[in-house]
Amino acid sequence: MPLPFALDHINLWLLEDEVGGGAGWTLVDCGIGDDTTRALWDRIFTARIAGRPVGRLLVTHHHPDHAGLASWLVERSAAEFWMPQGEYLTAHAQREGQAGYSYDNTLAMFRRNGAAGERLTLLEQRRSNYRVRVPSFPSQYRRLMDGQTHRIGGRVWRVIMGYGHAPEHAALYCEELGVLISGDMVLPKISTNVSVWANEPEGNPLALFLDSISRYAELPATTLTLPSHGLPFRGLRERIAQLKEHHRLRLAELEEVCDTPKAAADVLGTLFRRDLDTHQLFFAMGEAMAHLHYLHDRGRLERSVEDGVVRYVRSGS
């Protein structure tokens, strides 16, 4: 399905299933909540789903490209709606700007981490668009939990929860098929965004993410990974090693550049060597904070606050 940003697509999955004693479907993820995606789903319902019932809709996490059409699909198909509790509650909180998710809180966090001038103006203009891309959301759900199993099409799929990219991201693994639906936790070409959010401004999401992907490395080397962005691939363990090395190098560069006190906004050029549009700037700020928090929590950076701005400097400098 298409997406209206630089990351221009998301992969969704249809799993053949048994529903009510006959042939049916389980859906994994939804796409963004816009007319283009609804029209594409209409074609899929006609040409591929072809009148067979949809028993379940499983949503890996709350981000709009994964959860945007959850209500519409549930209403259209009468499917059971399954989602991790942290993701379900976060979707509602983001839609309503509650529980720390107001955009004013986000801007205050960015200012505290050094956003100023033109960058701050761009971020102020962005505002939150979560409600636009998730126009409605189910008022009830069934809970996906770590280690839980689902029988889909006569095969067992196990939920493997991951953290850092989202509060409780659900990946799905079928041992019989040797297939992992990895969602956004492991992508073949790009590194998953790992950001600090305003509701947890002192969090260390990068530590959670790196610990989570280590769990996927325990799966068989022959596992076929179905990611949410990019092509399916084999070589899961090698890809996880690449991701860990990528972050190790970024952390080393960041530690080196913090020979004098730096705020998160000061190190964007170190972590992102390209021009950033407003959408990318938003996530780049969160990711810069995540890397600085990781180094600070490990004692490699010291933190100070001056004039209301948080800055980090290499320990012993």
Side-chain angles (χ1 to χ4, degrees):
M1 296 290 184
L3 296 176
F5 6 91
L7 185 61
D8 62 4
H9 72 280
I10 177 172
N11 302 323
L12 313 176
W13 310 100
L14 307 182
L15 304 180
E16 291 182 328
D17 201 358
E18 298 170 4
V19 180
W25 300 95
T26 284
L27 314 182
V28 181
D29 283 339
C30 306
I32 207 165
D34 62 12
D35 289 340
T36 299
T37 308
R38 276 186 285 267
L40 289 168
W41 268 116
D42 282 336
R43 288 167 50 187
I44 289 168
F45 270 96
T46 299
R48 185 71 176 124
I49 293 177
R52 288 158 58 181
V54 177
R56 283 169 289 196
L57 168 62
L58 310 179
V59 174
T60 59
H61 62 296
H62 76 279
H63 292 163
D65 49 337
H66 297 260
L69 282 182
S71 280
W72 184 83
L73 283 168
V74 167
E75 291 167 4
R76 170 160 187 158
S77 66
E80 290 182 348
F81 176 56
W82 290 77
M83 194 175 192
Q85 185 176 72
E87 303 299 324
Y88 176 78
L89 297 176
T90 299
H92 280 288
Q94 285 216 327
R95 289 194 76 255
E96 301 302 327
Q98 298 295 318
Y101 282 104
S102 77
Y103 201 68
D104 287 341
N105 282 1
T106 300
L107 286 173
M109 179 183 72
F110 287 160
R111 290 190 196 98
R112 181 174 167 81
N113 284 272
E118 182 181 356
R119 283 175 172 165
L120 183 59
T121 299
L122 290 173
L123 291 167
E124 288 172 339
Q125 292 171 349
R126 180 182 188 272
R127 307 306 296 179
S128 176
N129 54 22
Y130 190 88
R131 196 180 184 95
V132 172
R133 291 170 172 161
V134 187
S136 60
F137 206 69
S139 59
Q140 57 186 9
Y141 77 115
R142 298 190 66 175
R143 185 177 179 182
L144 291 175
M145 299 178 66
D146 188 51
Q148 187 182 71
T149 58
H150 292 259
R151 184 165 289 276
I152 303 173
R155 299 182 177 93
V156 173
W157 291 75
R158 173 166 58 94
V159 178
I160 305 176
M161 213 65 83
Y163 308 93
H165 175 65
E168 288 185 296
H169 181 299
L172 299 165
Y173 174 64
C174 179
E175 183 176 11
E176 181 180 347
L177 291 174
V179 169
L180 172 70
I181 297 178
S182 65
D184 281 350
M185 289 299 293
V186 185
L187 302 176
K189 295 293 185 182
I190 61 173
S191 177
T192 301
N193 177 261
V194 179
S195 285
V196 173
W197 291 85
N199 66 317
E200 194 181 356
E202 300 301 323
N204 187 358
L206 183 56
L208 295 174
F209 176 76
L210 293 173
D211 181 67
S212 294
I213 62 175
S214 294
R215 297 181 65 195
Y216 305 126
E218 299 170 2
L219 298 177
T222 55
T223 298
L224 175 64
T225 301
L226 308 184
S228 289
H229 309 281
L231 295 174
F233 66 96
R234 297 191 189 272
L236 178 62
R237 294 177 183 176
E238 291 81 0
R239 181 58 185 148
I240 289 169
Q242 290 171 359
L243 288 169
K244 288 185 174 183
E245 178 66 4
H246 166 78
H247 285 289
R248 187 193 69 79
L249 292 172
R250 295 179 85 188
L251 289 164
E253 288 179 301
L254 201 55
E255 187 175 1
E256 183 176 350
V257 81
C258 286
D259 55 343
T260 58
K262 299 288 194 308
D266 299 327
V267 300
L268 294 182
T270 301
L271 296 178
F272 304 94
R273 296 184 179 91
R274 63 183 187 276
D275 292 333
L276 302 172
D277 62 27
T278 306
H279 178 79
Q280 293 166 334
L281 177 62
F282 177 90
F283 290 103
M285 278 294 299
E287 189 146 352
M289 293 169 58
H291 283 73
L292 290 167
H293 286 196
Y294 183 94
L295 290 169
H296 175 254
D297 282 2
R298 276 154 180 73
R300 291 159 61 181
L301 295 180
E302 298 172 3
R303 181 167 64 178
S304 62
V305 181
E306 185 177 348
D307 300 327
V309 175
V310 181
R311 293 182 175 86
Y312 299 82
V313 66
R314 192 166 59 224
S315 295
S317 294

